[in-house]
Amino acid sequence: MKRSGTPARFAPTVLATALAFALPGVAQANADLESKIANPKNWAMQAGDMFNQRYSKLKQINVSNVGKLQVAWTFSTGVLRGHEGSPLVIDGMMYLHTPFPNKVFALDLDTQKIVWRYEPKQDPSVIAQMCCDTVNRGLAYAEGKIFLQQADSTLVALDAKSGKVLWSAVNGDPKLGAVNTNAPHVFGDKVLTGISGGEWGVRGFVAAYDMNTGKQVWKAYSTGPDNEMLMDPDKTMTWTDGKMAPVGKDSSLKTWKGDQWKTGGGTTWGWYSYDKASNTVYYGTGNPSTWNPSQRPGDNKWSMTIMARDMSTGMAKWVYQMTPHDEWDFDGINEMILADIDVKGKPTKALVHFDRNGFGYTLDRTTGELLVAEKYDPQVNWATHVDMKTGRPQVVTKYSTQAGGPDVNVKGICPAALGSKDQQPASFDPNTKLFYVPTNHVCMDYEPFQVDYVAGQPYVGATLSMFPAPNSHGGMGNFITWDAGKGKIVQSKPEKFSVWSGSLNTAGGLSCFGTLEGYLKCVDAKDIKKELYKFKTPSGIIGNVFTYEHKGKQYLGVFSGIGGWAGIGMAAGLEKANEGLGAVGGYRELADYTQLGGSLTVFALPN
């Protein structure tokens, strides 16, 4: 059966290959940004640092006094819909962003006065091209500039003192579904950004722009010919037969039928991390298009992949595909956390990734070797395990939508398409050596159907319904601690709804996160079942907790503003259970606990 129309959740310059191969990778980071990061009084990047650890050395607020926290001040953004990411704090100034229309505010922390504001004039038709709410994951800073990736794909550099537009660059065509939700990141003299639109058949890529001029320096696609992916068939490595080996010629083209790679997805709307020592940037690619796997035979490389690239040239050093021939929309865009840890007793420069597919991966970030791949939610059932020799998940036929075929409703798949964790970033605590992971505890029924590609129209091809994982604590989320060296859950704290907020750990022994009902919670990092503080903010929290110091006082803050995929029913006014690709029914009870509204709540200890 063939269906067309818009799914309910959508209602109201490449370098020449030879040149790229010739350019050496030179370790570089941005000295100004590095100095801002080194000062824990600032929160100068979305994750606090380039390793995506989301850890602060501040400890004025700690396990002994966090229970005394009070609201210090609040700020309304004046925008509804989902508020993801967090503000930046740099030298006494705070820079806030909003969902569409992507307003930016600069606040003086002495007075909370709005020093300047920027509101781009974007065509509202962009809203209909955005898959899972009109979210934006935040701003970037370097050398007196604020960088904003607008929904309409325009990348903008603003003067941090005045808000004046310094340059802008068009990153994609929103009329074709190529919109943007990711936060740009500055590494060295370049601004890195990706693209959204996998549900429109957009071909994913990352692009690096000169931070001073806005000129595109390199662009690397996720699918297609080797030269357009900036892959060297002989030097780009991947995990094969228990060891690293070259990807070989046409590694992507061979895994797609005909020209399907041109509309193949693999979009890059998540987070980016950077290791200065090796000049390597790391990120994940999203789902292949369409969601009907029968229409796209093959492994569909390099969707669903961890990418490691030379930041100077964009050339791929190594790649690892987590979910070949994805059948469940398990986007691989979640953050890559870089940490030096013991893996099975051996000191390792590691990359740790909690994938939507429910497996927590630990790789050697230098070589790309697969070291650990274990379930971080015991309810995951679509695969039994990851074969450590091939690196491939061992799929359970009962939960295979490919095996079921079009127009067959495959029931009880865990996790749901939104994953055991979506984009909400985890944190790493160098004191406990553990990872603190906000998770979803949700399963789904999934029915694929035949769909034709039409440029600028949704290209989904599946109907979903979602529900809490059965035989669980009864809730839809857990906050867990994870030993990435062993691939084991250490502790699990159940939550009524999915934990859709990025966590934060501090030298004060705390781990803090937000809940969909709107609570900011802080727990003991050594025992996360010890809830030390909670406060109900004005709306549900899908933003990321951050901290800073101003005039000798530590502050803790978080955006509230329900939305995102989990809150799309409320954000977009959807009511039918299968709308929002099943999220409306799965999270219907949210409306009993919170309402729309974008605001920032900032906490501090009493004077």
Side-chain angles (χ1 to χ4, degrees), residues 299-357:
D299 278 356
N300 309 136
K301 292 176 179 175
W302 293 96
S303 66
M304 317 301 275
T305 296
I306 298 174
M307 296 270 191
R309 293 186 180 275
D310 183 287
M311 188 61 210
S312 297
T313 65
M315 289 302 302
K317 296 183 176 184
W318 60 260
V319 293
Y320 169 66
Q321 188 178 41
M322 296 161 290
T323 313
H325 186 64
D326 168 63
E327 307 171 36
W328 310 270
D329 184 44
F330 291 152
D331 264 359
I333 62 83
N334 293 353
E335 76 286 351
M336 311 296 159
I337 305 174
L338 312 184
D340 297 343
I341 58 174
D342 286 347
V343 179
K344 299 178 179 177
K346 179 183 177 182
T348 304
K349 291 185 178 297
L351 175 152
V352 177
H353 170 75
F354 300 96
D355 198 63
R356 287 238 300 249
N357 70 13

Side-chain angles (χ1 to χ4, degrees), residues 384-511:
T384 56
H385 65 287
V386 172
D387 183 306
M388 294 303 290
K389 189 172 183 181
T390 64
R392 297 179 72 94
Q394 302 302 290
V395 177
V396 176
T397 303
K398 178 181 178 181
Y399 302 113
S400 167
T401 67
Q402 170 75 48
D407 304 316
V408 173
N409 192 16
V410 180
K411 296 186 176 183
I413 303 166
C414 304
L418 42 68
S420 293
K421 186 180 88 65
D422 202 277
Q423 63 77 36
Q424 62 269 36
S427 51
F428 171 71
D429 194 316
N431 304 300
T432 64
K433 297 292 185 180
L434 296 175
F435 294 78
Y436 295 72
V437 192
T439 72
N440 310 313
H441 208 55
V442 185
C443 302
M444 68 176 173
D445 299 338
Y446 188 116
E447 182 178 346
F449 58 81
Q450 180 76 16
V451 62
D452 289 333
Y453 173 76
V454 178
Q457 297 297 316
Y459 185 48
V460 179
T463 300
L464 278 63
S465 60
M466 299 185 192
F467 44 87
N471 305 315
S472 71
H473 55 77
M476 298 179 73
N478 292 277
F479 187 64
I480 70 168
T481 47
W482 177 259
D483 184 331
K486 298 177 180 178
K488 292 185 180 298
I489 297 172
V490 178
Q491 280 189 306
S492 181
K493 181 184 187 304
E495 290 289 341
K496 181 173 180 60
F497 295 105
S498 299
V499 186
W500 209 275
S501 158
S503 56
L504 169 78
N505 278 54
T506 74
L510 299 172
S511 187

Side-chain angles (χ1 to χ4, degrees), residues 14-23 226-228 230-233 315:
V14 179
L15 282 175
T17 306
L19 176 62
F21 290 171
L23 291 172
D226 294 335
N227 65 322
E228 294 184 13
L230 299 189
M231 277 193 188
D232 184 329
M315 289 302 302

Side-chain angles (χ1 to χ4, degrees), residues 183-201:
H185 285 60
V186 175
F187 303 126
D189 60 356
K190 299 175 185 66
V191 186
L192 193 72
T193 191
I195 201 74
S196 301
E199 282 62 63
W200 273 255

